Amino acid sequence: MILLSEDGKTLQEISSWEDIITRPGYHSKVNSKEIKLKSVIGKYRITPKQPCGISSCGSKHNKGYLVVCENGIETNIGNKCGLNIFGINFTELENRFNTDTNALRYRDKIKEYQNRYSHYEDTIHSLKNGEKQGLWCYEKMHWFMTKGFEEKTLNALKQKAKIKENGIFQLRQFDSREIELAREAGSYDTNERIRIATLSSINAVTDYKKLKPLLKDRLGKEFEVFKTLKADDREYDDLKYWNNWANRLDLRVQEAKKIIVDCTNFLNEHNITEIRKYKTHLPN
């Protein structure tokens, strides 16, 4: 990979090392004592290794930077040589190049996702407002988790969600002979758990709370800001934030879809009936 950005405004990927060494200003060997760095214009990570452009080094490197000197000469410097020979000046130029090229990539990523905003807008609208979708699931789950079950039932469901246990069990007490056999086997159990029912999507008991901030904030207010964002006018920190936001957009859509499916399964009439039928067994 060879990246070139001569003006800090455009980013070009160079396909071969030959394209670098045939540039008009390129010198394969320069004396570090006779030059002063002006800017970093490129970055490379390549195979096979290429010789460092600093004559006192000459070692072959996999990665380094393309630089322009104040006299117009261009050369390549291995990443360690740049710091060792030119010190803080090289570090400042390196950081400036990385910041500029990252900002370019961030702008491209933001615009790429903005060009697909209509697809996301339709998907998000459906997730929020479709029949038995996000907002409906949230309100229905919230009612059950605050008013629809007794406090003991709620506490037992939350504990099951915490440990990811979807079973409802009945405790069968051992008789004296079974207790004696258990002791002989080194166990002090006096009962066994017998599964009598299985709950659907127990994780919805806690995960439903994520739906509101997901749909109203992340995929709501923030999405509205994102789709009209003017990336070319934004500074680096802002670009970094919205680039990361865009990278998480698909994950958030998938997360919302999964939670909606889990809530729908949990709210199934049979599931609710099982909870109420076996409520005294839930803590087991």
Side-chain angles (χ1 to χ4, degrees):
M1 176 195 73
I2 308 170
L3 295 178
L4 190 67
S5 180
E6 298 182 72
D7 56 5
K9 297 179 181 178
T10 57
L11 188 62
Q12 180 183 6
E13 188 164 348
I14 305 298
S15 58
S16 72
W17 190 249
E18 185 71 19
D19 294 330
I20 296 299
I21 63 177
T22 55
R23 288 171 60 83
Y26 180 82
H27 285 55
S28 61
K29 293 293 179 184
V30 297
N31 188 333
S32 61
K33 296 179 181 179
E34 298 175 356
I35 61 170
K36 188 174 181 180
L37 297 184
K38 180 181 178 182
S39 63
V40 173
I41 62 168
K43 184 177 185 177
Y44 61 89
R45 184 186 292 267
I46 54 175
T47 302
K49 296 178 179 182
Q50 297 297 330
C52 179
I54 301 299
S55 57
S56 59
C57 174
S59 298
K60 292 185 176 183
H61 303 293
N62 280 123
K63 57 184 179 179
Y65 291 88
L66 305 171
V67 299
V68 176
C69 307
E70 288 194 348
N71 58 6
I73 289 176
E74 294 181 12
T75 193
N76 63 292
I77 300 178
N79 62 315
K80 292 182 180 179
C81 286
L83 180 60
N84 292 339
I85 296 172
F86 297 101
I88 189 66
N89 181 44
F90 178 80
T91 300
E92 290 173 351
L93 295 175
E94 176 188 22
N95 290 341
R96 187 183 306 162
F97 175 82
N98 288 335
T99 297
D100 288 344
T101 53
N102 282 341
L104 289 171
R105 290 192 299 103
Y106 296 160
R107 287 190 177 96
D108 288 345
K109 174 70 72 172
I110 290 168
K111 291 175 183 178
E112 174 193 340
Y113 274 81
Q114 286 178 324
N115 288 336
R116 290 152 49 192
Y117 90 90
S118 59
H119 160 73
Y120 286 109
E121 195 166 44
D122 291 343
T123 300
I124 292 168
H125 178 78
S126 176
L127 285 175
K128 286 182 182 178
N129 305 308
E131 183 180 359
K132 292 189 176 181
Q133 288 298 306
L135 297 179
W136 179 89
C137 284
Y138 175 82
E139 295 300 334
K140 198 75 171 176
M141 286 294 302
H142 184 68
W143 183 85
F144 272 106
M145 294 300 108
T146 55
K147 301 175 183 177
F149 297 121
E150 299 169 358
E151 185 176 358
K152 286 184 179 180
T153 300
L154 283 174
N155 290 338
L157 288 171
K158 290 175 184 176
Q159 180 59 27
K160 283 188 176 295
K162 183 178 180 180
I163 62 174
K164 304 184 186 305
E165 173 57 76
N166 66 351
I168 300 178
F169 300 90
Q170 183 176 28
L171 295 182
R172 185 186 72 81
Q173 298 298 320
F174 289 165
D175 59 28
S176 57
R177 177 57 181 161
E178 288 173 316
I179 292 175
E180 182 180 344
L181 290 173
R183 293 293 184 273
E184 290 176 359
S187 171
Y188 289 88
D189 291 338
T190 59
N191 56 57
E192 67 174 334
R193 298 168 81 215
I194 301 173
R195 184 184 289 263
I196 55 176
T198 300
L199 298 175
S200 297
S201 300
I202 187 64
N203 50 300
V205 168
T206 52
D207 285 354
Y208 87 92
K209 294 179 181 179
K210 301 176 185 177
L211 271 179
K212 196 170 184 178
L214 258 179
L215 296 176
K216 291 205 166 185
D217 295 330
R218 302 291 179 264
L219 300 178
K221 296 174 184 176
E222 291 181 10
F223 180 77
E224 292 301 313
V225 173
F226 177 78
K227 73 179 186 181
T228 58
L229 193 72
K230 296 187 184 304
D232 290 335
D233 298 337
R234 297 286 176 144
E235 296 298 325
Y236 182 82
D237 287 343
D238 231 10
L239 289 169
K240 183 178 181 180
Y241 173 85
W242 287 109
N243 171 75
N244 291 337
W245 188 94
N247 283 332
R248 292 194 293 267
L249 181 55
D250 288 309
L251 292 175
R252 284 170 171 160
V253 168
Q254 292 306 314
E255 182 182 13
K257 286 181 178 180
K258 182 181 182 306
I259 295 173
I260 289 168
V261 169
D262 288 339
C263 288
T264 303
N265 291 338
F266 182 86
L267 292 167
N268 179 277
E269 184 178 350
H270 174 75
N271 202 54
I272 300 299
T273 299
E274 293 286 89
I275 292 171
R276 288 176 170 154
K277 179 179 177 181
Y278 296 114
K279 63 183 181 180
T280 58
H281 297 287
L282 287 172
N284 295 342

